[in-house]
Amino acid sequence: MVNQNIEDDILLRVEGLKTYFFQRNAVLKAVDGVSFTVAQGEAVGLVGESGSGKTMTCLSLMRLVPQPGARIVEGEIWFKDENLLDITEHEMRAYRGHRMAIIMQDPQTSLNPVYSIGEQVAEPVRLHLKERGQQAMNRVLDALRAVRIPRPEQRLVQYPHQFSGGMRQRVVAAMGLTTQPELLIADEPTTSLDVTIQAQFLRLIRELQQDSGTSVIWVTHDLGIVAQMCDRVNVMYAGRIVESGRVRQIYKEPQHPYTRALLDSVPLMGARRDKLYQIDGQPPDLRSIPQGCPFWPRCPEAMDKCKEQYPPRTSLGGQDFVHCWLTEEGR
Amino acid sequence: MANRLLEVEGLAKHFRGGGNWLTSGGDAIRAVDGVSFHVEAGETFALVGESGCGKTTVAKMILLLERPTRGSISFQGQDVSGFRGGGLREYKRMVQAVFQDPYSSLNPRMQVLDIIGEPLRVHQGLRGRTLRMRVGELLENVGLNPVTASFFPHQFSGGQRQRIAIARALALRPQLIVLDEPVSGLDVSIRAQILNLLVDLQRDLGLSYLLISHDLAIVEHMSHRVGVMYVGKMVELATRDEFYGNTLHPYSNALLASVPKPDPDIPMGTTIGGEVASPINPPSGCRFHTRCPIYLETSMCREVEPDWREILSEHLTACHKVEPAVV
Amino acid sequence: MANTTIQTAVPASAWLVRVRSSLSVARRVPKIPTAVLLVLMIFALFGQWIAPHSPVAVDMANSFAPPVWHEEGTANNLLGTDKLGRDILSRLIRGARVSLSLSLFVIGLGGGVGVALGLISGYAGGKVDAVMQRGIEVILAMPTILVALVFVFAVGRSFESVILILSPFLAARFARIVRGETLSVRERDFVAIAKVIGTPAWMILLRHILPNVFNTIIVLATLEVGHLILLESSLSFLGVGVPPPQPAWGLMVADGREFLTSAYWITLFPGLCILAAVLSLNLFGDWLRDTLDPRRRQL
Amino acid sequence: MLKYIGFRIFQALLGLWFIATLVFILSRSIGDPAEVFTARNSGVDAREIMAAKLGLDRPVHEQYLKFLGQLVRLDLGDSVSNGIPVTQILVERMPATFTLGLVALIFALVFSLPLGVLGAVYRDSAIDWIAKVLAFLGQSMPPFWSGIMLIILFAVVWEMLPPAGKGGWTSYILPGFTLGWGVMAGMVRLVRSSMMDVLDSDYVVMARAKGLPEAVVIGKHALRNALLPVLTYSSLVLGAFMNGSVVVEQVFAWPGIGTSAVQSVVRRDFPVIQGVVIVFGSFFILINLFVDILYAVIDPRIKYTP
């Protein structure tokens, strides 16, 4: 299964990642065997509804799953040629905030309310780049300028509550980007932003990405953002990636019924439909995921086989793949 | 005027900011500052805007949860502020609401029977078997099993809760339902279920909707006419086709351009910079001039508040730069 | 009408779920604290038939009798006697009644008033709330024991005066917490919807707000009973609580102080009783809080 | 910020005024004031002198203003049992109460902060259990009884420490510990639960995601936020302190204000009790004022919401 000829430009390769929550009398399979790759400079989307395991996948990549309760059960996370699940916590810390950074969903809570912006942005600089004093301050100012925060010299000493939501999210981005990380994980960073502010933020991240060649993992449920921001998409359902492909390919010819349903059920601007395609039923309860393909109870094309066995990975050429009996049988 | 179910005229709401009972308080927050529109019988009128534009405050005033500072709301030609006793009860029967958060809008300590039954009890004094029957009917109307009437809210998913909230709103056979972001608290795969249900109910029962939303795609899908608000003011109002096909106000244009299109081949439009202005100390003149892409350094936009004018038939806007085609 | 499918929310029927969950809750009840509380309640209710002796019968000939495990101890006085020869065990059993009944009276009186004030203050908001809050802050700002000293100075020692002086403090504590809860429940959407429907205010308070703050009230009441037992015994110890010869635990500790070196049992056992009662109430209340409302771990 | 502090000072003055008024109403309502303010067996003359001194023949509002005026001049009247001015008694006894309170506070802080923090960080570990047991015992043990038990053990049985009275530094250990333990109990639980909330927050995850060592994440990012709710609740802690100190002083025959309050009840010495209540009440309000200002200093958000 593991491709031994690691391509040079692959930055991150996740293999069979499983992260479970252990509760008093249940095991929640939040991430249940996820595999994907991120090439250098590539923007990869993780799409799915809440509870599909997107956020837990991201936290697993940084080994920051909530403690106690959650645990990475198995899998491999290759960052270039090092498996992040094999190294010590101390070695892992050298990755966090240095080679990989994260932007979380809620800008209201991701900054510490009792420290100034400058202090918080400077932390990774002091820690990883070992810079101090004026040198560190200059780097912080550069980062704030890069995310287009007006009058950074004055805003440096201000506290998070003095910033608007959009500005806070820029500060978080600045905090992550000061060390020029190779991988940026953006976990629904624009969900709580207004649409014009979101557009500004998306543009900003794309420019920064193009300038620095950083790889980005975009986590979102907004298919518009994926179309605009990503090169590849991974569609997640019930803790697994059910389809993976290049953005153009997936938007034109979705293979998995869930992907298709997602694309058809969302109102699109400019493409009026009398009736939206409706996915019936509910997202699965992670405590009791149905046997076989987890989507079958909601799938209009479900066959008997789907209820029994999880479909294997069907390659669609290159890195693209899908897990669906329809495609598997159709070839 | 006959089909004008709800008419809002020069509506304004100013809140006292900050302060407490000892200090006199800070500046007034002008959450809504002179808004006029109407909702026709059987149509969906959508109010669109970013956070802090005042659209939710407008809804609260219509629902009598806030008292307007200025302006009037009339229902079927009668001024709502004059309603007392029976008239007030009748208004509360005809106007219902569905809110955004399906978790907060159902009392966790009540059974579904009591939740949906509350309006029936308060207004029609229904009890026992009749109540049970009626609630069962309503549950079926929204696609839920009548058996679930004895369940508590925590036994339902978000989408199902929103159906319960809709059933409660339907209980008194209202004429107008205020939908405040009815699907933004739901998972993407569930949204279509609720949107389709709302469209079907409107068609079958002849309901009018006042839809409050920030999602322009949903608004395009659901509404017949659209009003756009910015910092407490209405900036554009038009039929849906006219709005999405022939946008006049630069802010509406910016909003439409900011929505990421779910098609990799349509690039992202040019968006506007700056932050949404604050209603505490709104910009002088046209409130949008601080972010306006077509604002040239003319004193007009900065100093004079633009008139609310009908530019085309049934297409109104407040912008100095737009020239009227009709007189 | 709509093309939606009929869906059931949960597989099992509702009552089955409820029975099952209440059973599993019952299984997790903290056993020792619950047992201690049950025993205390039995003592309080049926103490006069259980106690081997009268708690107030003086028997000077038999004073300072040690507990049964000492050489001179007899089975007649299992836990020994005090300086007046009164049986410690009997006094402890009857003391349970004093402590518990007094606490329950205060919870009923002060707690009831506090809940009502808290609901009104939180729901009404505005000036009513501001005035009430200042008042509550002032009451909370007063050192309970000192005020009790002054009060008892004025009206004299009695069971009733202890209830009267402790009730306002309890009411203030209840009012403050119930108000906070009410404020947060009031902002929930179902209250707004009830207003939209036209539900009258008293019905909103009783059907929507009260049931949602009820768990908090129960937990608070449990913890406050413990707190009251401590306060009451402190007052008794200082000599301003329930008047003798009623066997209050705090009073018994105070009585034994002079004879610490010669007759430790007079002080030890009443103290242990207070400890057991309060500890059990705290543990039980804590468990209740975790079970009823795991969100708020602090009160 | 200044506006906020000004407002809080105003509020504190309001509280002081309220307590004074309450005491005044009490003194006028529990019987003949002249009798209340004179010794138990004093004759008619003494009562008449007191009546004149209190101005009982004047209208109530004049009496009230006079009372307030005396308060402002720190004149609390004379003790009826020995004729010494109440202010003097209080000034003499205050230091003992304060030093005892300080020792107890140090005890409480030294134990509760580390125990609460470690309990939250290592949930369900041995240290968490120790913290829990200590907290529950401290909350449930009547201080007058635990004090007595400590006296039996350390003073009577082992003869390591003095049993009562105020002497050298060893005399502080037992009463300080007794008073501190009860206060510590509430604080441990508060620190622990507030720390647990903070540890679940996004900014702590962000701090870890920056690669900061765990010690910095907890010591710098979590602790400061966790202490804010603890400060809010410190008024309740303070109440426990005051109640406790009256009892503990009594148990250890400590020459503080609490003891004199209890003694004056026995001697029916109203002016002294009145003084003690006013002093304790003012002290409580001042500490709360101080805590609120401290809060504003630690939490930058408060400056903008008056």
Side-chain angles (χ1 to χ4, degrees), chain A residues 64 93 96-97 102 104 109-110 112-115 119-120 123 127-128 159 161-162 172 175, chain D residues 123 202-203 205-206 208-214 220-221 224-225 228 298-301 304:
Chain A
L64 285 175
R93 278 210 302 272
R96 292 185 200 132
I102 190 167
M104 297 208 295
T109 57
S110 42
N112 194 331
V114 301
Y115 293 104
E119 169 67 24
Q120 297 190 54
E123 269 180 338
L127 184 74
H128 298 294
Y159 289 89
H161 70 273
Q162 290 163 286
V172 178
M175 206 158 77
Chain D
R123 271 171 236 183
D202 282 354
Y203 55 79
V205 177
M206 282 308 286
R208 292 204 179 106
K210 286 187 214 174
L212 295 173
E214 198 58 16
K220 179 179 175 187
H221 283 271
R224 198 160 160 186
N225 285 285
L228 291 175
I298 296 184
D299 187 350
R301 283 166 296 187
Y304 289 81

Side-chain angles (χ1 to χ4, degrees), chain A residues 34 45 59 71 109 150 184 204 242:
Chain A
V34 159
L59 291 178
R71 209 172 66 227
T109 57
L184 175 68
L204 176 75
V242 294

Side-chain angles (χ1 to χ4, degrees), chain C residues 92 249 252-253 266-277, chain D residues 140-142 144-145 149:
Chain C
L92 289 179
W249 291 338
M252 292 170 73
V253 174
I266 310 180
T267 358
L268 179 67
F269 297 118
L272 282 180
C273 275
I274 301 172
L275 176 60
Chain D
S140 312
M141 216 153 15
F144 56 88
W145 182 75
M149 290 301 127

Side-chain angles (χ1 to χ4, degrees), chain C:
Chain C
M1 129 182 7
N3 64 336
T4 43
T5 47
I6 306 272
Q7 298 146 336
T8 42
V10 285
S13 69
W15 69 267
L16 199 72
V17 169
R18 251 181 290 166
V19 167
R20 222 184 273 156
S21 72
S22 54
L23 270 183
S24 72
V25 166
R27 258 200 299 273
R28 287 201 300 275
V29 164
K31 292 182 187 64
I32 298 176
T34 314
V36 170
L37 291 177
L38 280 177
V39 167
L40 284 177
M41 265 190 264
I42 291 169
F43 282 176
L45 287 174
F46 312 110
Q48 61 233 67
W49 297 289
I50 297 173
H53 299 276
S54 160
V56 292
V58 177
D59 178 5
M60 294 307 281
N62 193 23
S63 62
F64 298 120
V68 65
W69 53 85
H70 283 252
E71 275 176 33
E72 315 94 278
T74 61
N76 194 31
N77 302 107
L78 285 176
L79 296 180
T81 61
D82 63 7
K83 68 173 175 186
L84 299 176
R86 296 175 296 194
D87 181 43
I88 300 276
L89 178 63
S90 308
R91 287 179 69 74
L92 289 179
I93 290 175
R94 289 304 296 278
R97 185 189 204 120
V98 174
S99 278
L100 285 186
S101 60
L102 193 132
S103 308
L104 290 180
F105 268 118
V106 177
I107 291 279
L109 188 67
V113 172
V115 168
L117 288 180
L119 280 176
I120 293 168
S121 180
Y123 188 69
K127 290 210 172 68
V128 178
D129 183 41
V131 170
M132 277 184 167
Q133 283 317 300
R134 296 293 93 77
I136 285 169
E137 273 167 26
V138 169
I139 294 182
L140 287 174
M142 296 200 269
T144 325
I145 289 191
L146 272 178
V147 177
L149 285 177
V150 181
F151 188 79
V152 171
F153 179 96
V155 302
R157 265 174 104 164
S158 72
F159 191 79
E160 291 76 17
S161 63
V162 177
I163 291 178
L164 277 182
I165 191 58
L166 291 183
S167 293
F169 290 101
L170 197 82
R173 292 168 76 102
F174 265 79
R176 196 164 92 143
I177 287 171
V178 170
R179 168 190 176 259
E181 288 283 286
T182 305
L183 279 181
S184 78
V185 176
R186 190 183 69 165
E187 295 306 315
R188 310 258 294 270
D189 283 346
F190 59 80
V191 174
I193 292 274
K195 287 182 191 162
V196 169
I197 288 170
T199 311
W202 62 268
M203 215 160 144
I204 292 180
L205 268 178
L206 286 187
R207 285 173 63 101
H208 291 286
I209 294 185
L210 187 60
N212 281 291
V213 300
F214 197 68
N215 283 349
T216 308
I217 296 174
I218 292 291
V219 172
L220 189 61
T222 317
L223 297 175
E224 286 298 319
V225 169
H227 187 226
L228 283 170
I229 292 178
L230 273 186
L231 268 181
E232 177 269 328
S233 60
S234 295
L235 291 180
S236 294
F237 174 81
L238 293 175
V240 292
V242 177
Q246 288 223 56
W249 291 338
L251 202 59
M252 292 170 73
V253 174
D255 283 347
R257 270 183 76 194
E258 300 165 48
F259 318 107
L260 273 187
T261 42
S262 56
Y264 68 89
W265 53 90
I266 310 180
T267 358
L268 179 67
F269 297 118
L272 282 180
C273 275
I274 301 172
L275 176 60
V278 181
L279 188 58
S280 304
L281 281 161
N282 281 338
L283 289 170
F284 190 79
D286 233 50
W287 169 81
L288 260 184
R289 172 165 50 200
D290 289 349
T291 312
L292 294 178
D293 196 357
R295 270 181 310 112
R296 46 190 57 246
R297 285 184 295 259
Q298 57 190 61
L299 260 171

Side-chain angles (χ1 to χ4, degrees), chain A residues 261-311:
Chain A
L262 264 192
L263 286 166
D264 288 346
S265 70
V266 181
L268 303 184
M269 244 169 52
R272 274 175 217 158
R273 291 173 285 202
D274 282 346
K275 193 131 196 125
L276 296 173
Y277 177 79
Q278 184 168 321
I279 312 175
D280 283 326
Q282 308 295 331
D285 178 357
L286 293 179
R287 260 162 297 215
S288 53
I289 298 171
Q291 215 202 335
C293 170
F295 188 59
W296 76 257
R298 306 173 76 187
C299 181
E301 295 160 89
M303 310 175 290
D304 287 343
K305 196 166 192 177
C306 303
K307 304 173 187 176
E308 286 153 18
Q309 217 182 336
Y310 187 72

Side-chain angles (χ1 to χ4, degrees), chain D residues 2-280:
Chain D
L2 277 179
K3 192 176 155 195
Y4 172 75
I5 292 178
F7 175 68
R8 284 295 293 120
I9 290 176
F10 177 78
Q11 226 182 9
L13 288 175
L14 207 69
L16 286 177
W17 167 76
F18 193 91
I19 288 185
T21 308
L22 215 68
V23 167
F24 176 79
I25 293 172
L26 204 65
S27 69
R28 295 299 186 271
S29 61
I30 57 175
D32 178 7
E35 204 169 311
V36 167
F37 282 95
T38 46
R40 212 177 315 181
N41 298 317
S42 52
V44 180
D45 293 354
R47 253 176 269 160
E48 270 168 8
I49 294 168
M50 183 48 71
K53 193 181 167 197
L54 292 173
L56 292 180
D57 51 334
R58 318 292 308 165
V60 173
H61 67 266
E62 274 185 32
Q63 294 178 31
Y64 177 59
L65 287 179
K66 190 172 174 209
F67 168 79
L68 286 187
Q70 285 176 339
L71 264 193
V72 172
R73 277 177 273 120
L74 296 176
D75 176 6
L76 292 164
D78 300 336
S79 159
V80 298
S81 51
N82 50 19
I84 301 172
V86 172
T87 321
Q88 191 188 328
I89 298 179
L90 293 177
V91 168
E92 273 169 18
R93 294 199 160 227
M94 209 112 68
T97 299
F98 273 123
T99 45
L100 177 60
L102 203 64
V103 171
L105 186 67
I106 291 168
F107 264 126
L109 287 177
V110 162
F111 280 101
S112 63
L113 287 184
L115 279 179
V117 170
L118 292 174
V121 175
Y122 304 103
R123 271 171 236 183
D124 296 320
S125 65
I127 198 151
D128 192 17
W129 277 98
I130 293 172
K132 267 188 201 166
V133 168
L134 279 179
F136 268 115
L137 281 181
Q139 263 189 331
S140 312
M141 216 153 15
F144 56 88
W145 182 75
S146 53
I148 291 174
M149 290 301 127
L150 289 174
I151 292 176
I152 293 187
L153 283 181
F154 289 92
V156 178
V157 179
W158 296 328
E159 295 181 14
M160 290 163 66
L161 296 164
K166 180 170 175 282
W169 64 272
T170 47
S171 68
Y172 282 86
I173 295 179
L174 287 184
F177 184 76
T178 311
L179 182 53
W181 194 359
V183 175
M184 178 206 92
M187 284 194 17
V188 168
R189 308 191 59 194
L190 214 57
V191 171
R192 179 175 182 271
S193 72
S194 123
M195 191 73 187
M196 266 162 55
D197 286 345
V198 171
L199 285 177
D200 286 342
S201 67
D202 282 354
Y203 55 79
V204 167
V205 177
M206 282 308 286
R208 292 204 179 106
K210 286 187 214 174
L212 295 173
E214 198 58 16
V216 177
V217 172
I218 288 167
K220 179 179 175 187
H221 283 271
L223 190 61
R224 198 160 160 186
N225 285 285
L227 288 183
L228 291 175
V230 177
L231 267 181
T232 321
Y233 277 83
S234 57
S235 62
L236 292 181
V237 173
L238 200 63
F241 235 119
M242 292 190 172
N243 280 336
S245 71
V246 175
V247 174
V248 170
E249 284 186 10
Q250 183 69 10
V251 170
F252 290 93
W254 196 258
I257 301 181
T259 316
S260 62
V262 177
Q263 282 167 355
S264 52
V265 168
V266 177
R267 293 182 196 145
R268 299 197 62 77
D269 194 341
F270 189 80
V272 174
I273 300 188
Q274 172 186 296
V276 172
V277 170
I278 289 174
V279 164
F280 262 132

